[in-house]
């Protein structure tokens, strides 16, 4: 069942178009992510849904009701801001109590519900303190508590993890998932971080220049990115995009890369003429070969190694291109900068995009099907 | 939170240096206060006396003294003048603060088309030296009957303080995190409650700083007060000016006593607000 319906919303600030006909739907109780680079319009989109920005066009519906012209206060949504936006002159208790006080709830109910939520978020010890004496994590949890205390129908989250350190970010990701599971409310979460989007979202939309590029589950977007932008936004390290050309020879279509010629049988239907393309391959689908190379692949030199702990990203240089490859840490130990290495690529999960438009070139079939 | 540095950490050399600088700044004030306790003979002694037998006579004469040739001590009216100074400065600063806060919030949060032009026009009212506008204002006050009334001088001082108050308070509102106000809107607050419960409490330090600056300006103002107040509404600076001269020349002891008393209210207000003031002056200089 659809809870939130955003239909063709447009928002301009002077000459700048922040939202350019943005549309998406989020199901009831769904954890929906808006993923996009900075200035893609994520924050504006959330603020538009909240009613904090007046729209130039488009409608926002929630629970079947058109709320486009409702004032902020009447929508019953809650929002967690990037800066937390706690009331600096009020204690943590008063911050949490604020939404209830605005509803004119009796004092005993306020006290009870603040205690409940403080316990759930483990901030009972900090209730008497002002925000500037709280740690980043405590501030974050007060902000979450203040948003949840009214049991909103829709929770909007604007990059809530950006101002936290790496360890807290990890913990809070888990916290959000737990809260979502326990409270079952519809959540719209904006983030520039694909890891957050992939780990938390049930469905996500990739934003670019105020428009939605592609919507789907994390798996769908990872496996079949609709264009080269989505391909680089989803997945880490990002997909390699290597400029090349597709053309036909006697036996079928051939993909010419600067450093290799590959069989392009999968794109047999599309390759009717010579076409400049981008060849997309994930760093996980490249592996070094021992001895003789049997499948498609190429030779390269190690340009740079980035140990990330359990895995290592190796930048390979093949002719003028840099290609990233990911290896388990113990396997990567064997490679030093400047080493020659022969690599094999598994073609099943590779993609082709038109170089001009970035649009995906559909493959005829997948060899494993 | 401000945390004071441990006392003594700066070391003797720097403490002494700071002490000497402070003394240089404070010396005129000290001199005035000392003079207030001297007899007429002591005030004129050369070389100046640092040690002398203090007397309170000067303070008594501020309020009541025997005029030359008179027999009985008569009321000088200074009680009223001190009341006038406090009442006029206090009311006009308060009014400027209230109107200034509302205007500043408006300019900061609901910018008009040509907002900066309006702000500039407001500022221009402070660009002319008071002496340039004093004649037209004097005539206007004469014609409208505002001359010599509390209402007139309070009105003038309020107008005088407004541009400065608006600009200063606006800068404090500009510094606030706007998301906090949006959070309050999400939490169900009307615009009025956002202002009173969220925005206003965050700028109290700025209001205190503005109030102190405006108060000192108004408290010391002489020119307008000289021309636009009457015998009943005269403020201390004007009354003090009229004490100079006369048959006995300059009575430094008496002037010292008036100035010492005149310092007290400003000192008390500044002292009471000092913590707020410090926060106000350093506002926005530290990243939150």
């Amino acid at each position: 069942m659809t809870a939130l319906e955003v239909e063709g919303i447009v928002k301009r600030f002077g000459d700048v178009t922040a939202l350019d006909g943005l549309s998406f739907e989020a199901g009831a109780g769904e954890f929906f992510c808006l993923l996009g680079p900075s200035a893609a319009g994520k924050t504006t989109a959330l603020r538009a849904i909240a009613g904090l920005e007046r729209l130039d066009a488009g409608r926002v519906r929630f629970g079947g009701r058109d709320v486009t012209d409702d004032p902020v206060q009447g929508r019953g949504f809650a929002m967690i801001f990037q800066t937390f936006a706690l009331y600096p002159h009020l204690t943590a208790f008063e911050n949490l109590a604020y939404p209830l006080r605005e509803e004119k709830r009796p004092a005993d109910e306020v006290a009870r519900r603040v205690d409940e939520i403080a316990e759930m978020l483990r901030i009972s010890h900090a209730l008497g303190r002002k925000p500037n004496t709280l740690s980043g994590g405590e501030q974050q949890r007060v902000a979450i508590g203040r948003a949840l205390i009214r049991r909103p129908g829709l929770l909007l989250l604007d990059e809530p993890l950006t101002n936290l350190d790496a360890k807290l970010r990890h913990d809070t990701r888990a916290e959000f998932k737990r809260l979502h599971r326990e409270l079952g409310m519809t959540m719209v979460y904006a983030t520039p971080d694909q890891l957050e989007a992939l780990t938390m979202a049930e469905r996500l939309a990739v934003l670019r220049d105020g428009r939605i590029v592609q919507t789907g589950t994390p798996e769908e977007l990872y496996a079949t990115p609709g264009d080269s932008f989505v391909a680089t936004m989803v997945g880490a390290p990002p997909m390699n995009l290597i400029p090349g050309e597709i053309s036909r020879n006697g036996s079928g279509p051939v993909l010419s890369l600067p450093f290799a010629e590959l069989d392009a049988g999968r794109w047999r239907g599309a390759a009717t003429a010579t076409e400049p393309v981008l060849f997309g391959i994930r760093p996980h689908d490249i592996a070094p070969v021992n001895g003789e190379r049997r499948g498609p692949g190429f030779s390269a030199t190690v340009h740079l190694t980035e140990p990330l702990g359990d895995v290592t990203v190796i930048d390979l240089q093949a002719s003028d291109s840099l290609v990233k490859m990911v290896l388990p840490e113990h396997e990567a130990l064997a490679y030093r900068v400047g080493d020659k290495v022969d690599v094999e690529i598994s073609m099943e999960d590779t993609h082709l995009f038109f170089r001009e438009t970035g649009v995906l070139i559909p493959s005829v079939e997948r060899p494993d099907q | 939170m401000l945390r004071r540095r441990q006392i003594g950490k700066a070391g003797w050399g720097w403490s002494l240096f700071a002490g000497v600088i402070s003394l240089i700044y404070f010396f005129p004030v000290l001199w005035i206060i000392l003079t207030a306790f001297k007899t007429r003979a002591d005030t004129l002694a050369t070389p100046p006396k640092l040690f002398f037998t203090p007397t309170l006579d000067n303070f008594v004469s501020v309020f009541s003294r025997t005029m030359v040739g008179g027999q009985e001590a008569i009321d000088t009216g200074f009680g009223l003048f001190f009341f006038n100074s406090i009442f006029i400065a206090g009311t006009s600063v308060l009014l400027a603060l209230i109107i200034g806060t509302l205007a500043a919030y408006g300019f900061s949060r609901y910018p008009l088309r040509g907002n900066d032009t309006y702000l500039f026009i407001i500022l221009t009212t402070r660009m002319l030296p008071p002496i340039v506008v004093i004649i037209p204002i004097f005539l206007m006050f004469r014609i409208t009957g505002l001359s010599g009334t509390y209402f007139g001088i309070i009105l003038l001082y309020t107008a005088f303080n407004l541009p400065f108050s608006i600009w200063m308070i606006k800068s404090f509102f500009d510094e606030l995190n706007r998301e906090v106000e949006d959070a309050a809107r999400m939490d169900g607050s009307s615009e009025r409650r956002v202002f009173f419960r969220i925005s206003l409490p965050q700028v109290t330090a700025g209001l205190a700083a503005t109030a102190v600056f405006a108060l000192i300006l108004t408290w010391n103002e002489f020119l307008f007060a000289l021309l636009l107040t009457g015998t009943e509404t005269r403020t201390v600076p004007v009354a003090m000016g009229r004490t100079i001269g006369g048959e006995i020349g300059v009575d430094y002891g008496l002037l010292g006593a008036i100035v010492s008393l005149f310092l007290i209210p400003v000192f008390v207000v500044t002292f009471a607000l000092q913590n707020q003031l410090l926060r106000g002056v350093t506002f926005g200089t530290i990243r939150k």
Side-chain angles (χ1 to χ4, degrees), chain A residues 32-312:
Chain A
F32 190 88
C33 245
L34 295 173
L35 173 67
S38 54
K42 305 183 295 291
T43 299
T44 312
L46 291 189
R47 293 175 58 86
I49 296 165
L52 292 167
E53 302 288 352
R54 197 182 292 268
L55 295 178
D56 292 314
R59 310 305 297 175
V60 176
R61 276 180 282 272
F62 184 74
R65 200 166 59 87
D66 191 327
V67 296
T68 317
D69 300 318
D70 286 5
V72 187
Q73 293 85 355
R75 300 194 185 191
F77 301 165
M79 184 152 168
I80 297 176
F81 294 85
Q82 186 180 344
T83 57
F84 306 153
L86 298 178
Y87 308 128
H89 55 297
L90 300 178
T91 60
F93 181 95
E94 284 304 323
N95 265 279
L96 291 171
Y98 192 88
L100 300 179
R101 297 216 192 279
E102 290 302 271
E103 283 184 345
K104 308 243 181 301
R105 301 275 172 186
D108 55 332
E109 187 193 337
V110 172
R112 183 174 50 75
R113 283 172 67 178
V114 170
D115 280 343
E116 263 173 34
I117 203 115
E119 195 150 319
M120 182 173 94
L121 294 163
R122 301 183 303 277
I123 40 174
S124 305
H125 61 282
L127 285 179
R129 282 154 54 190
K130 294 265 182 77
N132 62 353
T133 68
L134 300 174
S135 72
E138 286 165 342
Q139 289 182 12
Q140 168 71 282
R141 279 176 291 172
V142 174
I144 298 170
R146 189 182 62 184
L148 294 179
I149 199 157
R150 269 203 314 186
R151 296 166 195 142
L154 174 67
L155 181 61
L156 305 164
L157 304 99
D158 184 16
E159 302 188 26
L161 304 184
T162 307
N163 288 343
L164 296 179
D165 59 55
K167 164 85 172 68
L168 264 172
R169 221 176 276 187
H170 186 266
D171 294 348
T172 314
R173 275 212 313 267
E175 184 91 3
F176 278 136
K177 278 183 103 159
R178 176 176 75 94
L179 288 171
H180 177 246
R181 198 174 54 237
E182 284 173 12
L183 303 171
M185 69 178 73
T186 312
M187 287 160 87
V188 179
Y189 186 110
T191 177
D193 182 350
Q194 57 90 27
L195 182 69
E196 285 173 23
L198 292 183
T199 51
M200 291 191 287
E202 290 169 299
R203 282 195 318 128
L204 70 152
V206 177
L207 257 76
R208 180 195 202 177
D209 299 336
R211 287 170 166 280
I212 292 213
V213 186
Q214 193 178 1
T215 312
T217 65
E219 295 76 22
E220 283 166 4
L221 264 61
Y222 186 87
T224 50
D227 71 5
S228 56
F229 179 75
V230 177
T232 49
M233 278 303 293
V234 178
M239 183 185 284
N240 293 300
L241 288 177
I242 304 155
E245 265 181 4
I246 193 160
S247 55
R248 282 194 166 276
N249 68 6
S251 58
V254 169
L255 176 64
S256 320
L257 297 179
F259 46 82
E261 298 261 316
L262 301 171
D263 171 46
R266 284 181 56 208
W267 295 281
R268 147 172 14 109
T272 49
T274 304
E275 182 84 52
V277 292
L278 288 172
F279 177 59
I281 177 160
R282 297 216 177 262
H284 294 272
D285 295 326
I286 302 177
V289 279
N290 297 316
E292 199 63 19
R293 190 171 70 209
R294 281 177 302 277
F298 58 93
S299 301
T301 48
V302 176
H303 179 70
L304 188 74
T305 64
E306 284 177 79
L308 298 178
D310 51 344
V311 294
T312 297

Side-chain angles (χ1 to χ4, degrees), chain B residues 93-103:
Chain B
V93 168
L94 192 70
L95 279 174
L97 216 56
I98 293 170
I99 302 169
T101 306
L102 294 172

